[in-house]
Amino acid sequence: MIIHKNFIAGSWVDSGSETENINPSDISDIVGVYSRAKNDLAKQAIAAARKAFKPWQYSTPQQRFDVLDFVGSEILARKEELGRLLSREEGKTLAEGIGEATRAGQIFKFFAGEALRIEGDIVSSVRPGASVEVTREPLGVIGVITPWNFPIAIPAWKIAPALAYGNCVVFKPAGLVPGCAWALTEILSRSGLPEGVFNLVMGRGPEVGQTILEQSEVNAVTFTGSFATGRQVATACAARGARFQLEMGGKNPLVVLDDADLKTAVECAVNGAFFSTGQRCTASSRLIVTRDIHDKFVDAVTERMKGLVVDNALKEGTHIGPVVDESQLDKDLDYLRIGREEGARLAYGGKRLNRDTEGFYLEPALFTGANNSMRIAREEIFGPVAAVIRVKDYEEALATANDTDFGLSSGICTTSLKHASHFKRNSDAGMVMVNLPTAGVDYHVPFGGRKGSSYGPREQGRYATDFYTTVKTAYTLPL
Ligand code: NAD
């Protein structure tokens, strides 16, 4: 089998060690063999990026537009093939895989345009005759560390703005999904980028990731992943004064009020909680429902869940693919046990399933009778498991929604403009949805959360400039 190598200073580099990328829908299917880098290659990649930054920081917006537009166009032209690779290695359905690949292409196209729109200010000085210019400049070398659950979209929304604003990149993808990272790198390798501007190093987090955090030549680290790893990123970067940005977990509430349109509420809950196998940081894992609609809502959600097809991600008609790997499946099953022990009722699902191909299949699970202090309502499970929490009225629903260590996204289903408006203003989350699932966002507007979910400037949209550039204020007195 071909070994997919690391990409450093414009060349494909082997490490002498490799891993197999296994399809979670069919563990007999090896997606590919991928090189596994150690610290030495991470250091080489960082040195290559540092060297490349000297000229690349002065590249023209047109040069950067051309690179990003090329990458975006190729991803869009190959979205079916890349979507299939994504579904095969991560386990989300083919439709979801193609949707994510499309989004990655759109993100590159968006930031191609942003490369042309880097603006500054000219301000009158308070001193006679002088003028002030405020401009944005690139930071230098950006370490990009990504999770497994969005194998192409998350790398895209970090790499595209980093390059658009004139930075160099060292990219370390999650170990479970090297396929999409490598495919994206292969496209970037033909995009016209000078050698060393973009580098891929596939390897273990505590090794390659940690090296990126600790090397003084890395000016900033953009990280998406778990809260625990985010803490380590913060500690290491803060210790050496590097800029960092963290996107971490969620425990996102979907509030359903008595006046909600029942069909809309059920669709929002099922989509938000279970699609992509519940493996989304924006998944609705807490369904907070007021008392008069509670029973109708639970019955309708349960009915809808009975129609969900859990099967091989690549099979036509599959609604929910497998869990990403065995250890995540064990974690999901553990939380199903914990929920029952805590006194919640497993109203539907939660069984491990067998299918034609051997994979990590789990029936989506709905708990009822949960309360907000249970572990299943406080800790991120990151699987197809949701808990219904019954509340008296809107005020209790809002208080329960905000009573969490996280604050990524939140949602409300209601036909009351008064409650929708109040919720948008008072929900303690970075993203708020009205009559829409908590998961599923546009690619051209800011993405991020509050409290334990995020740290630092927002990602995506034009707000990305805040992280990927540094501001210079220049004063001139013409003589
Ligand atoms: P993870 O924290 O285990 O790994 C994330 C990345 O960090 C991986 O590339 C990993 O190799 C690397 N890493 C691990 N240890 C490291 C270290 N010591 N130093 C540097 N890098 C290290 O997370 P995961 O399991 O891949 O992803 C799931 C998590 O990601 C969930 O908590 C989910 O909520 C979160 N997530 C958040 C968002 C968001 O935008 N808020 C989006 C997607 C996923």
Side-chain angles (χ1 to χ4, degrees):
M1 237 183 201
I2 304 164
I3 296 171
H4 297 81
K5 297 177 184 160
N6 301 287
F7 186 68
I8 299 171
S11 300
W12 297 102
V13 182
D14 204 357
S15 63
S17 131
E18 57 266 346
T19 52
E20 289 179 343
N21 183 2
I22 306 289
N23 176 351
S25 297
D26 175 2
I27 57 171
S28 69
D29 176 32
I30 296 165
V31 181
V33 178
Y34 292 84
S35 179
R36 210 138 243 223
K38 297 230 172 3
N39 287 340
D40 56 333
L41 289 193
K43 285 182 184 162
Q44 270 182 40
I46 294 164
R50 176 94 290 178
K51 189 168 166 213
F53 181 64
K54 279 194 184 134
W56 178 247
Q57 64 184 310
Y58 304 112
S59 57
T60 63
Q62 185 65 50
Q63 247 179 304
R64 302 197 295 270
F65 172 92
D66 289 343
V67 165
L68 298 172
D69 190 55
F70 170 91
V71 176
S73 297
E74 181 157 335
I75 293 173
L76 290 175
R78 292 172 52 196
K79 62 179 195 278
E80 269 90 12
E81 173 210 337
L82 293 168
R84 177 168 283 273
L85 170 66
L86 198 165
S87 301
R88 200 172 150 211
E89 73 172 347
E90 196 269 351
K92 62 182 68 169
T93 65
L94 188 53
E96 290 169 335
I98 294 171
E100 188 184 328
T102 305
R103 183 168 171 200
Q106 289 165 332
I107 290 167
F108 272 95
K109 291 277 193 182
F110 175 83
F111 281 107
E114 286 302 280
L116 300 173
R117 284 189 286 268
I118 302 170
E119 292 176 348
D121 296 314
I122 294 183
V123 182
S124 303
S125 171
V126 294
R127 286 174 276 181
S131 66
V132 186
E133 291 160 42
V134 182
T135 51
R136 287 188 178 269
E137 295 182 3
L139 288 178
V141 176
I142 312 281
V144 170
I145 301 179
T146 56
W148 50 262
N149 67 327
F150 282 92
I152 196 161
I154 292 180
W157 82 53
K158 294 178 184 302
I159 293 164
L163 297 175
Y165 300 121
N167 300 287
C168 293
V169 170
V170 176
F171 170 35
K172 194 216 90 63
L176 284 175
V177 289
C180 286
W182 191 91
L184 176 60
T185 301
E186 197 280 322
I187 298 172
L188 278 155
S189 75
R190 290 182 283 102
S191 66
L193 278 178
E195 64 183 49
V197 171
F198 175 82
N199 306 274
L200 167 75
V201 197
M202 298 174 285
R204 291 182 56 248
E207 199 161 351
V208 167
Q210 196 67 34
T211 302
I212 291 173
L213 303 185
E214 287 169 0
Q215 289 288 302
S216 61
E217 292 184 314
V218 177
N219 301 85
V221 175
T222 174
F223 167 84
T224 300
S226 62
F227 182 76
T229 313
R231 266 241 157 109
Q232 289 174 271
V233 175
T235 307
C237 289
R240 64 179 183 85
R243 188 180 285 195
F244 61 97
Q245 172 186 60
L246 312 174
E247 289 297 344
M248 301 169 288
K251 199 68 204 172
N252 311 292
L254 175 72
V255 169
V256 178
L257 296 187
D258 289 345
D259 63 20
D261 175 70
L262 185 63
K263 201 160 163 263
T264 304
V266 170
E267 282 316 303
C268 287
V270 169
N271 176 322
F274 307 125
F275 285 8
S276 298
T277 323
Q279 297 173 153
R280 293 187 284 191
C281 50
T282 46
S284 324
S285 47
R286 294 184 297 145
L287 307 174
I288 301 168
V289 186
T290 49
R291 59 188 170 194
D292 288 351
I293 199 172
H294 176 275
D295 293 356
K296 275 180 281 182
F297 174 79
V298 168
D299 287 348
V301 170
T302 313
E303 255 336 281
R304 178 79 171 76
M305 288 172 78
K306 287 180 188 159
L308 294 174
V309 177
V310 182
D311 207 332
N312 191 311
L314 297 176
K315 209 165 165 178
E316 206 175 317
T318 294
H319 299 120
I320 300 196
V323 172
V324 73
D325 71 355
E326 187 144 25
S327 70
Q328 182 63 48
L329 178 64
D330 288 345
K331 185 177 166 199
D332 296 349
L333 292 169
D334 222 31
Y335 272 108
L336 287 165
R337 179 187 53 76
I338 291 167
R340 279 187 296 244
E341 281 173 10
E342 285 179 313
R345 190 175 84 84
L346 188 58
Y348 183 82
K351 284 196 286 293
R352 186 163 183 186
L353 302 171
N354 292 317
R355 292 293 179 253
D356 292 347
T357 48
E358 194 183 337
F360 308 112
Y361 299 106
L362 179 65
E363 199 176 29
L366 187 73
F367 278 113
T368 53
N371 67 55
N372 208 41
S373 53
M374 291 177 174
R375 283 181 65 192
I376 54 165
R378 302 215 74 84
E379 298 169 17
E380 186 184 49
I381 301 172
F382 219 54
V385 182
V388 178
I389 301 169
R390 184 183 182 137
V391 292
K392 187 164 81 248
D393 52 18
Y394 168 72
E395 284 69 30
E396 190 185 347
L398 175 67
T400 307
N402 284 340
D403 176 16
T404 169
D405 295 336
F406 297 103
L408 189 56
S409 75
S410 68
I412 188 166
C413 290
T414 179
T415 49
S416 153
L417 180 61
K418 180 180 150 199
H419 285 142
S421 307
H422 191 270
F423 188 78
K424 279 191 281 185
R425 176 63 186 87
N426 293 285
S427 169
D428 208 358
M431 297 175 290
V432 185
M433 314 288 177
V434 177
N435 296 322
L436 287 165
T438 57
V441 296
D442 287 5
Y443 66 86
H444 65 306
V445 289
F447 178 98
R450 299 179 177 182
K451 300 195 274 186
S453 291
S454 299
Y455 183 89
R458 285 286 183 266
E459 299 204 80
Q460 301 194 64
R462 62 189 166 76
Y463 284 69
T465 46
D466 291 341
F467 181 74
Y468 291 100
T469 65
T470 181
V471 168
K472 182 176 277 175
T473 312
Y475 296 83
T476 310
L477 180 67
L479 294 177

